[in-house]
Amino acid sequence: AQSVTQLGSHVSVSEGALVLLRCNYSSSVPPYLFWYVQYPNQGLQLLLKYTSAATLVKGINGFEAEFKKSETSFHLTKPSAHMSDAAEYFCAVAFGNEKLTFGTGTRLTIIP
Amino acid sequence: GAGVSQSPRYKVAKRGQDVALRCDPISGHVSLFWYQQALGQGPEFLTYFQNEAQLDKSGLPSDRFFAERPEGSVSTLKIQRTQQEDSAVYLCASSSTSGQAIITNTGELFFGEGSRLTVL
């Protein structure tokens, strides 16, 4: 079955520290992969997406993600966390059509 | 408006009541999606419209759920005889592209803030 898994429902990092949010997928066909962010009382916003071009994808707000086929992963990173990064992050995958399958989300807390 | 607008933002219903949730997509967007997000979960696909045509309704959980987009713009998600398990945030999203183009290089989905339904 095709699916996406986010490891860690809650992640806390200190301001200025590395942010690493994990996402793994299961697919028998080449996937399209996405990261979305949801700030409190706001809609989901696209951070970045992988569409089979470059494996290292740069997104908004200094985030980036690397597609690793051998590890079936698409982890999200940011070198230095800001207080404004506190939000819920969702990994999502599409398998050849317009339907997105989302992970269960990771809530990121930034410690001052 | 500039973004996807959903109303009401909050709805409390007694079990057995019918509810209607409205979505105003970004003007001119041909594709419209409904997703359901239960507490602590990621959004789950409900249905997809391309203009007024409902091309995929495979995610609707039961025949109590019905969605329409009669003029290819505003969409309404209707839930009949609501049950407690229907409590969730219902998200609407729209895109200027359709089909697989939504997920390829130039496509993007724009989400509304959601309608939070609580069934007592």
Side-chain angles (χ1 to χ4, degrees), chain A residues 48-81:
Chain A
L48 49 81
K49 62 180 175 181
Y50 166 75
T51 58
S52 77
T55 56
L56 181 62
V57 182
K58 293 187 184 298
I60 62 172
N61 301 337
F63 284 93
E64 63 182 35
E66 185 172 9
F67 173 67
K68 292 187 176 180
K69 184 177 179 180
S70 61
E71 299 178 7
T72 60
S73 69
F74 190 58
H75 301 331
L76 181 71
T77 61
K78 182 174 180 178
S80 177

Side-chain angles (χ1 to χ4, degrees), chain A residues 2 9 12-13 35 41-42 80 83 91 95 102:
Chain A
Q2 297 165 334
S9 58
S12 296
V13 302
W35 275 99
N41 298 315
Q42 295 188 26
S80 177
M83 295 300 296
C91 182
F95 302 106
F102 286 87

Side-chain angles (χ1 to χ4, degrees), chain A residues 32 43 49 51 90 97 99-100 103, chain B residues 35 42 56 58 103-105 107:
Chain A
Y32 294 89
K49 62 180 175 181
T51 58
F90 291 93
N97 61 37
K99 240 185 296 191
L100 291 179
Chain B
Y35 282 82
D56 189 338
S58 61
I103 61 172
T104 57
N105 286 330

Side-chain angles (χ1 to χ4, degrees), chain A residues 32 34 36 38 41-46 49-51 53 90 94-105, chain B residues 9-10 33 35 37 40-45 48 56 58 91 99-100 102-109 111-113:
Chain A
Y32 294 89
F34 307 78
Y36 280 84
Q38 188 173 34
N41 298 315
Q42 295 188 26
L44 289 161
Q45 180 181 2
L46 180 66
K49 62 180 175 181
Y50 166 75
T51 58
F90 291 93
F95 302 106
N97 61 37
E98 66 284 337
K99 240 185 296 191
L100 291 179
T101 298
F102 286 87
T104 52
Chain B
R9 290 290 314 279
Y10 303 92
F33 295 78
Y35 282 82
Q37 186 176 13
Q41 302 296 315
E44 292 192 1
F45 170 83
Y48 165 55
D56 189 338
S58 61
L91 301 173
Q100 194 174 28
I102 295 171
I103 61 172
T104 57
N105 286 330
T106 58
E108 183 172 349
L109 274 183
F111 282 83
E113 295 175 348

